[in-house]
Amino acid sequence: TGVQTCALPISDGAAKINMTVGPVADFYFAQKYAFSTGLWYTVKGVSYNIYNSFYETNVFVEKPLTKDEIKSNAAEFNLQYLQIPLTLKIFSDQVKPGMPFYIQFGGTLDINLAEKPINSVKNALVQYRDRVAPNSGVFGFGEANLLLGAGFEKKLGSGNDAFFFGLQYQRGLSEINRGGSFADMITKTNQLVIDFGLKF
């Protein structure tokens, strides 16, 4: 994740390892060109570093931590998205017999299915949310990403079946924090994805 802060004393935290699963569909409109889409269930880990001055802001001065809350220097979330890729794949001549190389570019539309705070009692942003916007989420409806990728396909037999393996870089184009209560914080996600599966 990448975090830019305007007023809140927060910075981006450590990278997380998560998963993406779902079907991919390639629709060829020429011998070497295909429109590639699908439906992917994706979990994104979002992590923030929280500085001591965070608890000195007016929000916590007016409403101090309760006895059940613990001051923290971090905030972590698992965000569950439904990703809809809208990309173009361009295939090269075969590097080896039955193994074409491809590049992929386009974008994804991500719909936020759920957000799960890690350790709510010590999650600084959950504590902040409970004071400025109770019963709301920290994150908004969704986001848009740029997708760049490359990989190989290995043909299986004489039909269209193939095994594919590649790498994708997804860069967040829109910020994902909920407006209003979290206008002082801008979060954009970046992902490096190992992409593999079977094509029928």
Side-chain angles (χ1 to χ4, degrees):
T1 59
V3 181
Q4 301 173 353
T5 58
C6 301
L8 296 177
I10 299 173
S11 66
D12 56 317
K16 302 293 181 182
I17 298 176
N18 289 291
M19 67 168 187
T20 295
V21 295
V24 175
D26 291 345
F27 298 96
Y28 287 82
F29 56 89
Q31 183 178 1
K32 296 181 180 180
Y33 297 87
F35 172 70
S36 183
T37 185
L39 286 174
W40 303 340
Y41 170 76
T42 298
V43 178
K44 299 184 182 183
V46 180
S47 174
Y48 303 89
N49 294 321
I50 308 294
Y51 299 106
N52 289 335
S53 55
F54 179 81
Y55 289 99
E56 298 170 4
T57 58
N58 290 336
V59 169
F60 290 99
V61 172
E62 296 173 2
K63 297 181 179 180
L65 295 181
T66 68
K67 63 180 181 179
D68 296 322
E69 295 176 317
I70 301 172
K71 186 179 291 187
S72 175
N73 60 1
E76 297 182 9
F77 296 83
N78 280 338
L79 307 181
Q80 301 173 36
Y81 285 95
L82 178 65
Q83 288 192 300
I84 304 172
L86 303 169
T87 66
L88 177 68
K89 280 185 178 178
I90 302 175
F91 292 84
S92 74
D93 292 328
Q94 297 179 6
V95 178
K96 290 184 177 181
M99 186 180 288
F101 173 79
Y102 67 86
I103 59 173
Q104 182 177 11
F105 58 91
T108 70
L109 298 177
D110 297 6
I111 301 171
N112 189 351
L113 301 176
E115 63 180 68
K116 180 182 177 182
I118 306 301
N119 195 349
S120 296
V121 174
K122 293 183 62 177
N123 191 304
L125 282 183
V126 170
Q127 297 165 354
Y128 181 86
R129 178 206 64 192
D130 289 346
R131 283 158 175 78
V132 299
N135 302 317
S136 71
V138 176
F139 302 93
F141 175 75
E143 65 174 319
N145 299 283
L146 172 69
L147 186 152
L148 301 173
F152 292 91
E153 283 192 0
K154 173 62 177 175
K155 297 294 184 181
L156 302 175
S158 57
N160 294 324
D161 295 354
F163 174 80
F164 62 88
F165 178 86
L167 289 175
Q168 291 179 6
Y169 173 66
Q170 297 182 22
R171 183 175 181 83
L173 300 177
S174 57
E175 70 102 358
I176 64 174
N177 294 116
R178 187 177 296 277
S181 303
F182 294 92
D184 290 335
M185 182 172 62
I186 298 174
T187 305
K188 296 182 179 180
T189 63
N190 298 314
Q191 290 181 285
L192 183 63
V193 179
I194 299 174
D195 184 31
F196 63 92
L198 291 174
K199 183 175 177 180
F200 301 100

